[in-house]
């Protein structure tokens, strides 16, 4: 059996996880859509003008604040987004709007890589409104749990997300499961996790043969699991 931790494997692990993060664009601001910064800034300016009005109802004001927070989130201005969102009067929000507020806060903390802070907001968002972006929200929770090295809860949440409601397994599922098992094998020095990671990567490559993250995971697992004489 090969040594688990040669320098080449450590460098490859860094590439694998970087690729996985880059392929999961929803983990930062909710999608891969191109952001028109100019249009966003114009909308923020318009919202600021509206917020200066003294005739706004609490609900209208909170909706404008939430909208501004989302626009700042899209622009990657996470601290500003959080600051704006915190100015909302949450005690006056209806459950659906408050759920959306919590989801946006969770996304902002994910964007800051402060995953432990993101998780409570994401969970609270689900408690308030289970119908609003349930899969997106669960994916963010899974990503955050993995980042916090809560591997077993992450895998449990991932499995539940895709089995409940017969959600079709996508690239996020296979990438996250494969890289999580790979991390567990690396951290716990257990070949069983490498074997499971390889199984998931192989299944994922049957569905998505051009996925570079899964291909990298597959290569890393094979380098660990194959006897030296066969390499």
């Amino acid at each position: 059996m090969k040594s688990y931790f040669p320098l080449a494997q450590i460098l490859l692990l860094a590439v694998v996880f970087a690729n996985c993060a880059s392929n999961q664009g929803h983990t930062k601001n909710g999608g891969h859509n191109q952001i028109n910064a100019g249009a966003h800034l114009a909308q923020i300016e318009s919202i600021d003008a509206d917020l200066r009005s003294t005739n706004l109802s609490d609900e209208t004001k909170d909706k404008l604040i939430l909208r501004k927070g989302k626009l700042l989130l899209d622009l990657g201005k996470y601290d500003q987004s959080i600051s704006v969102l915190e100015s909302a009067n949450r005690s006056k929000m209806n459950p659906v709007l408050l759920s959306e507020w919590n989801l946006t806060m969770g996304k902002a903390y994910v964007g800051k890589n402060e995953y432990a802070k993101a998780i409570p907001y994401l969970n609270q968002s689900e408690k308030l409104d289970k119908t609003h972006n349930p899969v997106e929200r669960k994916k963010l929770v899974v990503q955050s749990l993995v980042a916090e090295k809560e591997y077993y809860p992450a895998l449990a949440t991932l499995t539940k997300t895709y089995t409940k409601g017969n959600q079709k397994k996508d690239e996020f599922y296979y990438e996250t499961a494969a890289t999580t098992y790979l991390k567990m094998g690396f951290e716990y020095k257990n070949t069983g996790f490498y074997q499971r990671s390889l199984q998931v990567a192989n299944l994922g490559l049957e569905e998505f043969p051009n996925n570079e993250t899964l291909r990298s995971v597959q290569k890393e697992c094979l380098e660990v699991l194959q006897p030296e004489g066969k390499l």
Side-chain angles (χ1 to χ4, degrees):
M1 181 68 65
K2 293 183 61 179
S3 170
Y4 289 150
F5 307 110
L7 178 60
Q9 289 184 21
I10 295 173
L11 292 174
L12 182 56
L13 273 172
V15 172
V16 167
F17 299 135
N19 287 343
C20 187
S22 66
N23 289 337
Q24 297 167 9
H26 64 274
T27 60
K28 287 295 182 185
N29 57 25
H32 293 283
N33 296 332
Q34 286 290 110
I35 299 301
N36 186 328
H40 274 52
L41 291 171
Q43 290 183 61
I44 290 172
E45 186 176 345
S46 176
I47 290 171
D48 285 339
D50 290 338
L51 287 171
R52 287 192 287 270
S53 171
T54 59
N55 299 320
L56 296 177
S57 67
D58 289 338
E59 182 178 2
T60 299
K61 183 178 180 180
D62 288 339
K63 285 182 177 179
L64 288 171
I65 288 172
L66 179 57
R67 177 60 182 157
K68 182 178 178 180
K70 288 181 176 180
L71 290 167
L72 290 166
L73 176 71
D74 288 344
L75 292 170
K77 298 180 182 294
Y78 305 121
D79 286 320
Q80 291 183 44
S81 177
I82 291 168
S83 179
V84 166
L85 290 168
E86 287 178 337
S87 69
N89 187 348
R90 297 187 294 282
S91 65
K92 298 289 184 68
M93 285 185 177
N94 62 58
V96 174
L97 192 63
L98 188 54
S99 172
E100 197 171 355
W101 182 91
N102 276 279
L103 177 59
T104 309
M105 284 287 284
K107 287 181 180 180
Y109 277 113
V110 168
K112 285 167 58 66
N113 297 323
E114 295 183 13
Y115 300 101
K117 291 183 179 180
I119 293 171
Y121 287 108
L122 297 170
N123 288 337
Q124 183 64 18
S125 175
E126 182 176 26
K127 289 179 182 178
L128 290 164
D129 181 14
K130 296 183 182 300
T131 64
H132 184 69
N133 296 326
V135 175
E136 174 197 23
R137 191 165 46 209
K138 284 296 189 184
K139 286 180 177 181
L140 288 167
V141 171
V142 170
Q143 178 196 354
S144 300
L145 288 169
V146 172
E148 290 296 306
K149 297 186 178 182
E150 297 287 346
Y151 300 129
Y152 288 105
L155 290 169
T157 302
L158 183 69
T159 300
K160 183 178 179 180
T161 299
Y162 282 83
T163 55
K164 187 176 182 180
N166 297 317
Q167 177 73 23
K168 181 177 173 56
K169 292 177 180 178
D170 55 12
E171 287 182 279
F172 176 88
Y173 173 86
Y174 289 111
E175 288 181 3
T176 304
T179 54
T180 300
Y181 281 119
L182 181 59
K183 279 189 172 185
M184 294 170 79
F186 182 79
E187 184 162 331
Y188 303 135
K189 303 179 180 64
N190 187 318
T191 57
F193 291 126
Y194 283 100
Q195 291 167 346
R196 182 58 180 148
S197 177
L198 180 60
Q199 290 172 354
V200 175
N202 288 342
L203 287 172
L205 286 168
E206 291 179 8
E207 294 284 333
F208 307 100
N210 297 320
N211 187 290
E212 294 182 3
T213 297
L214 293 175
R215 189 68 64 189
S216 296
V217 171
Q218 182 189 58
K219 179 180 179 181
E220 170 66 8
C221 290
L222 288 173
E223 287 183 352
V224 172
L225 294 170
Q226 286 180 344
E228 288 186 8
K230 293 186 178 181
L231 293 179

